[in-house]
Amino acid sequence: MKNLIFYIGGIIIFIIGMIVYGIIQDLRKTSLKDLLSEKKIENLDNPKIIINKLDYKLHLYIDTVLVKTYNIALGANPRFSKQSKNDRFTPIGNFYVCDKRITDGLGKIMILNYPNVEDAIRGLESGIITKSEFEKIINANASNLCPPMDTNLGGFVKIHGNGKFDLLLRNLPFIFNWTDGSIAVNNSEIEELYSVCKIGTTVIIY
């Protein structure tokens, strides 16, 4: 019984420690608004996001100026690129924000145009998608719209927050790749990104 009490107490102390650590880290962060002011950036017409999967970093640029870097969580093994639905890998390639929404579970989200043209070509050549599905994906990308996301290539790759689990996930002392292939930041950070990035914003993932 004594061992059980020590075990439970250790878990509680660990969780409290994570929360306190996360609060301290958040207090040390500089807000996007302040960084934009420091860098004297007023024109936000040309934002760009570059995501490094192996470093777990999302870099926000305005034109060619790096404004802020965010820590991220991904889908399964970041060394692999998304090939099909249900594989939980985060894709690699050049994308754009094709839609922005406010959801019940994750709050504000930015949807990427996966599958893109390269994905469609790969899917057709490997027999994952039909010719008709291929043409729909190509046409949507040509019009800068969201492509069909119900094919065997998968879809609905997003940049989003941690939702209702933000307090726990943002304070983990290690990287936990919990998403379905999307890119997650914490809830306050998705608010920043959502406010700056418009539909059409370039997103490069490598």
Side-chain angles (χ1 to χ4, degrees), residues 89-141:
F89 297 141
T90 302
I92 292 174
N94 295 341
F95 303 95
Y96 56 82
V97 175
C98 68
D99 196 10
K100 297 171 64 177
R101 301 179 188 176
I102 300 177
T103 66
D104 291 331
L106 291 173
K108 293 177 179 178
I109 65 173
M110 300 188 295
I111 302 174
L112 307 185
N113 67 310
Y114 174 88
N116 64 16
V117 173
E118 289 75 17
D119 297 311
I121 293 172
R122 170 179 56 80
L124 182 64
E125 290 177 346
S126 61
I128 295 177
I129 60 173
T130 66
K131 179 69 173 176
S132 175
E133 291 172 329
F134 170 81
E135 291 175 350
K136 289 178 181 178
I137 294 172
I138 294 299
N139 291 337
N141 277 277

Side-chain angles (χ1 to χ4, degrees), residues 2-205:
K2 184 183 292 186
N3 290 338
L4 179 60
I5 292 174
F6 280 130
Y7 179 73
I8 294 174
I11 293 176
I12 292 173
I13 292 172
F14 174 73
I15 293 173
I16 292 174
M18 286 196 306
I19 294 173
V20 172
Y21 174 78
I23 292 172
I24 293 173
Q25 290 297 100
D26 284 343
L27 291 174
R28 291 178 176 177
K29 291 179 180 178
T30 304
S31 72
L32 178 59
K33 180 179 179 181
D34 288 342
L35 288 171
L36 289 170
S37 177
E38 286 177 13
K39 297 175 185 293
K40 295 180 171 54
I41 298 174
E42 298 180 358
N43 188 342
L44 305 180
D45 288 342
N46 192 27
K48 179 169 66 175
I49 289 174
I50 297 180
I51 295 169
N52 185 331
K53 290 173 54 176
L54 297 182
D55 283 350
Y56 298 99
K57 301 294 183 183
L58 182 155
H59 305 287
L60 174 65
Y61 286 80
I62 302 296
D63 289 320
T64 59
V65 179
L66 174 60
V67 179
K68 188 170 182 177
T69 296
Y70 301 84
N71 295 322
I72 58 174
L74 301 166
N77 196 325
R79 294 185 179 276
F80 297 104
S81 180
K82 189 168 188 62
Q83 301 294 307
S84 62
K85 66 179 182 181
N86 301 325
D87 64 14
R88 294 190 63 248
F89 297 141
T90 302
I92 292 174
N94 295 341
F95 303 95
Y96 56 82
V97 175
C98 68
D99 196 10
K100 297 171 64 177
R101 301 179 188 176
I102 300 177
T103 66
D104 291 331
L106 291 173
K108 293 177 179 178
I109 65 173
M110 300 188 295
I111 302 174
L112 307 185
N113 67 310
Y114 174 88
N116 64 16
V117 173
E118 289 75 17
D119 297 311
I121 293 172
R122 170 179 56 80
L124 182 64
E125 290 177 346
S126 61
I128 295 177
I129 60 173
T130 66
K131 179 69 173 176
S132 175
E133 291 172 329
F134 170 81
E135 291 175 350
K136 289 178 181 178
I137 294 172
I138 294 299
N139 291 337
N141 277 277
S143 300
N144 294 320
L145 301 174
C146 288
M149 298 185 181
D150 56 353
T151 73
N152 286 328
L153 287 171
F156 291 104
V157 175
K158 308 170 289 294
I159 299 173
H160 59 70
N162 291 324
K164 60 184 179 181
F165 298 108
D166 187 58
L167 185 62
L168 173 63
L169 291 173
R170 74 181 177 185
N171 296 321
L172 289 176
F174 52 84
I175 297 296
F176 174 44
N177 288 325
W178 61 272
T179 80
D180 59 358
S182 294
I183 300 96
V185 293
N186 71 41
N187 287 355
S188 61
E189 292 169 339
I190 191 59
E191 292 286 340
E192 291 184 341
L193 292 169
Y194 196 94
S195 69
V196 171
C197 298
K198 303 178 286 292
I199 291 177
T201 295
T202 296
V203 179
I204 300 172
I205 307 175

